[in-house]
Structures are given as C-alpha cells and as structure tokens.
Amino acid sequence: MEFSFLEPIDIEIQQFVKQLTSQQLGSKVVFHNSEDLPDLNKIRVAIVGVLESKQDGTVTSLKSIRNELYALYPGNWETSIADLGNIRPGHSQKDTFFALQSVVSALIKKRIIPIIIGGSQDLTYALYRAYDVLEQMVNLVAIDSKFDFGKESDVISATSYLTKIILDEPNNLFNFCNVGYQTYYNSQEEIDLVEKLFFDSYRLGDVCSNISIAEPVFRDADIISLDLTSIKTSDSGNFRNFIPNGFSGKEICSLARYAGLSDKVSCFGIFNHGDTEQESKLTSQIIWYFIEGFHYRSNEYPFGSKENYLKYIIPLEDQELVFYKSHKTGRWWIEIPYLSTANTKLKKNTLLPCYHEEYLAACQHEIPERWWKAQRKNII
C-alpha cells in the first residue's frame, strides 16, 4: 500500500540506462519500471525522487541527476541499489508529506536506506515523521547555511520546517545539529535559541578548516538533510540563487561520505535542486560518495563486545569521563551517564561519538561541549 504512491521512472531514463556499458552504475541498479516494483528483499539502498510543481504549472524533472549518476562507474561495491521512481506532487503539501512519510517509513522498517532527491527542504519534516512508528528518539543533521526557524504561525516551508519539527507532537527529536551555518544569514535570536535548546551547530569556516570535526556528528545522526544551497555557486552552478560562500564540491562530497559511513544514518535527503546541468553532476557525485561510504560501514553501532574497544577513564573533581576507542577503526566514543527514568527512549543515547582531540582536551580537564549538552538533555 505504501509504495502505491510511487510512479515508475521515465521511459527516457530507462532507454538511457540500456545504452550504458555493463561496468557503469546504471547497469547494476534495479528499476521500478512500468511492470512492477523490484523485489525489495535484497535491496539495501533505494533512490526515491519527489517531484515538485513550479509556479508556471510544470513539474521539476530529476532526469538529469539520474542520467549523471547512472553514467558513473561504481567502486568495488556489493551494495544492492534500487531506483523506486518518483512521488508526484499531491493536491496539497500535506498530501505530498503523507506520501513521502509512508514510503520512507516502509523502507526503514525493511532496513533499506532511502536516498531522497528533489523537492524543497521542508520535506525533511516528512522524513522526521516517518520515524514515528519506530518509537525512538531521532537525531537530525542539516547541512545548511541557515537554521530554518520560523514563527509558530508560519506555514511550513523550506525556511521554517525546523520550528514545526520542534513543536509538533509526538516530539521524538533528541538532537539537532547544523553543519555549515553562515552567521550573517541567521539572527542572533536564532543562534541563541540553538544554544538554549542544547542543539549543536558548526560554522562554515570551522568545518572547512577541519572537516573531520563533522564526522562524529554524522556518526550520531539518523537523518541527514542536505540543502544544495549550502554549496557555493562557483561549484554548484546554481546562478539562479547566487551563493558567494559555501561548501566546495570536494567538501560536500566528503560530508556525504561521512554520512554514508555512519552505522546509524538511515535516511539521506538532498533538497533544493536548482535544476542546472552543473548541479546535477555534483548531486550525482554526492549520491555516489554516500553509497561509497555505506559500502564501507564498519557496523560498530550499536556496540557489540566491549573487547573490541579500549576503555579510557579520566577522573575529574566530582565525576569521571569514560571514553572508548575502537580497535577496528580507531574512532572514539564518550559515555553519557543515564540519568533520566521518565523517557525510556533515551537509553539508546548513552554513547556519544567524539573525536581524539576531545579526549586529549578532557585529559586537560576540558569537558567536551557536546557531552555537556547531551547530559543536560538527559537530565531534563
């Protein structure tokens, strides 16, 4: 029933794929054609397009992204990929949200990771609501130059969806993190609100100076929402909405690979496509790097045997910090003491990914900021 919202991919794309060599990615993907959906039992990654009506009445096309993607050559992957086609615009925004929520929820329950392309970033709300049936707290990471807060009375949009996520019931949001915000696009009130809610945020300059600081953030995320306007125009080719500063193509692909590597990420959305040839090329490579990362997942989360990790205990005045380092990958985690008894969903958030520098700082009695924020949310 949930997949009845999907329509097959365009005949033109199917014909394009038939012309590819057996080594190219398109020859290794199964497609939702006019006959039926592919067998999902063996699928691990599914691409789903969300079409959007323009002001002139036409519908956005995702054909260029798909053609660019399927013409690429895959790595040494064993990942089984399906293209399930598109969700057409509903009669209302609510209809489109419901269709996307239903499809994503069904895929996640089948342990299939959906890659959502097209549409505006307010579709992130539908991705978030897809987790309602799983009865778990959700960590959301947005790669965006703006926080996308709005007034409570505002109609949900690409610039206000986060407010609706925070306020609407059921409230399953445990943490939100913005990667790449640009201060001059956000009011001081919004920046202060992020701090007040104990959310995380990383300025564009900080991430570009040391992109590895974003890796633990992605390792702790369930949903990644990428706004393509976070990429500078010189790399994206989106001159309709000129962006002088933003991530480079190389940086955004590195972030996509981090997202794919995360054992926890179960949904990846790419939004606000400018529908240009250059941006289609870059978007296809973003998807390629996410799948590349997925192929090399280490399956370290959730923790298995503690024998695979080295435990470090740092005594402080009134408590101790406990770190774990993986023998397999060398990645780090810090333990969050479980203090709340009211919300059993939080039991899944007792280990927080971190990086080596945070351990070194803790040795100098500097408590990691993300640990402190997570601790505060646990108490509340």
Side-chain angles (χ1 to χ4, degrees):
M1 173 62 183
E2 297 89 349
F3 300 118
S4 62
F5 297 110
L6 294 166
E7 65 172 17
I9 63 169
D10 296 340
I11 297 296
E12 294 179 5
I13 297 175
Q14 296 183 46
Q15 293 174 343
F16 172 81
V17 169
K18 290 179 181 179
Q19 298 174 0
L20 300 176
T21 68
S22 60
Q23 287 78 34
Q24 289 172 289
L25 182 59
S27 300
K28 303 178 185 300
V29 174
V30 293
F31 295 91
H32 176 197
N33 54 36
S34 57
E35 296 176 1
D36 206 349
L37 278 170
D39 182 6
L40 297 180
N41 292 325
K42 299 180 180 179
I43 300 301
R44 301 187 68 192
V45 174
I47 296 171
V48 177
V50 182
L51 303 181
E52 186 175 58
S53 297
K54 299 180 182 179
Q55 292 182 345
D56 59 4
T58 61
V59 177
T60 55
S61 172
L62 302 174
K63 182 175 68 173
S64 58
I65 295 177
R66 285 182 161 105
N67 286 351
E68 294 291 346
L69 174 63
Y70 298 139
L72 299 176
Y73 291 88
N76 187 23
W77 301 341
E78 297 176 357
T79 303
S80 50
I81 306 168
D83 189 332
L84 302 185
N86 298 316
I87 297 174
R88 292 198 63 82
H91 293 295
S92 67
Q93 181 190 58
K94 187 176 180 180
D95 293 337
T96 304
F97 281 10
F98 178 78
L100 179 58
Q101 175 183 337
S102 301
V103 170
V104 170
S105 180
L107 290 172
I108 293 174
K109 283 190 286 187
K110 288 180 174 291
R111 303 183 68 83
I112 299 172
I113 295 183
I115 299 176
I116 309 301
I117 55 175
S120 58
Q121 201 177 15
D122 52 7
L123 292 171
T124 304
Y125 178 77
L127 303 186
Y128 167 69
R129 288 270 75 104
Y131 287 75
D132 288 350
V133 296
L134 303 180
E135 298 184 352
Q136 70 173 64
M137 299 302 285
V138 177
N139 289 344
L140 167 64
V141 172
I143 305 173
D144 201 341
S145 60
K146 302 176 182 178
F147 291 124
D148 295 329
F149 286 116
K151 296 179 181 179
E152 187 175 349
S153 58
D154 287 349
V155 176
I156 185 171
S157 69
T159 58
S160 66
Y161 71 89
L162 185 56
T163 299
K164 193 166 181 64
I165 287 178
I166 294 172
L167 295 178
D168 276 13
E169 296 289 344
N171 192 330
N172 297 324
L173 183 68
F174 181 74
N175 191 46
F176 167 78
C177 180
N178 176 287
V179 175
Y181 82 94
Q182 299 178 41
T183 307
Y184 39 73
Y185 287 146
N186 301 277
S187 69
Q188 190 58 48
E189 289 78 7
E190 291 175 313
I191 296 173
D192 292 342
L193 180 59
V194 169
E195 288 296 315
K196 183 179 179 181
L197 295 172
F198 306 114
F199 290 157
D200 301 313
S201 58
Y202 295 84
R203 292 182 64 175
L204 174 68
D206 293 334
V207 180
C208 293
S209 298
N210 181 16
I211 201 164
S212 63
I213 65 173
E215 188 276 329
V217 174
F218 290 107
R219 209 183 332 147
D220 197 39
D222 298 289
I223 306 171
I224 307 294
S225 174
L226 168 58
D227 185 340
L228 289 171
T229 62
S230 65
I231 306 167
K232 56 186 177 182
T233 292
S234 58
D235 282 34
S236 71
N238 182 5
F239 287 94
R240 297 177 185 175
N241 184 16
F242 185 77
I243 308 295
N245 292 302
F247 288 114
S248 68
K250 179 180 178 180
E251 290 161 348
I252 203 68
C253 287
S254 295
L255 293 177
R257 193 174 191 275
Y258 281 149
L261 281 169
S262 169
D263 294 324
K264 194 178 180 187
V265 168
S266 52
C267 185
F268 183 44
I270 305 174
F271 304 112
N272 293 337
H273 175 50
D275 206 19
T276 65
E277 180 180 355
Q278 187 171 337
E279 194 172 63
S280 294
K281 288 180 180 293
L282 180 56
T283 302
S284 71
Q285 293 179 19
I286 290 170
I287 297 171
W288 190 97
Y289 272 101
F290 178 83
I291 299 174
E292 167 89 350
F294 176 80
H295 174 74
Y296 288 106
R297 286 190 174 188
S298 58
N299 299 315
E300 291 181 314
Y301 183 91
F303 269 25
S305 172
K306 293 288 181 68
E307 296 177 356
N308 298 323
Y309 304 87
L310 191 60
K311 185 177 182 179
Y312 296 81
I313 301 176
I314 301 177
L316 301 178
E317 290 184 4
D318 56 346
Q319 61 186 324
E320 61 182 23
L321 297 181
V322 180
F323 287 84
Y324 293 91
K325 180 184 179 182
S326 167
H327 292 314
K328 185 176 183 180
T329 63
R331 298 192 296 188
W332 290 77
W333 284 262
I334 186 171
E335 192 171 82
I336 308 296
Y338 180 67
L339 302 177
S340 173
T341 57
N343 195 337
T344 57
K345 295 177 184 178
L346 297 184
K347 290 181 179 178
K348 295 183 179 180
N349 294 278
T350 55
L351 288 172
L352 183 69
C354 62
Y355 51 97
H356 184 223
E357 287 74 11
E358 289 178 303
Y359 163 73
L360 296 177
C363 291
Q364 303 299 319
H365 300 280
E366 296 180 21
I367 297 178
E369 184 177 0
R370 290 182 67 238
W371 179 91
W372 180 83
K373 289 180 178 180
Q375 179 88 325
R376 291 292 299 166
K377 280 183 286 201
N378 221 348
I379 294 173
I380 294 172

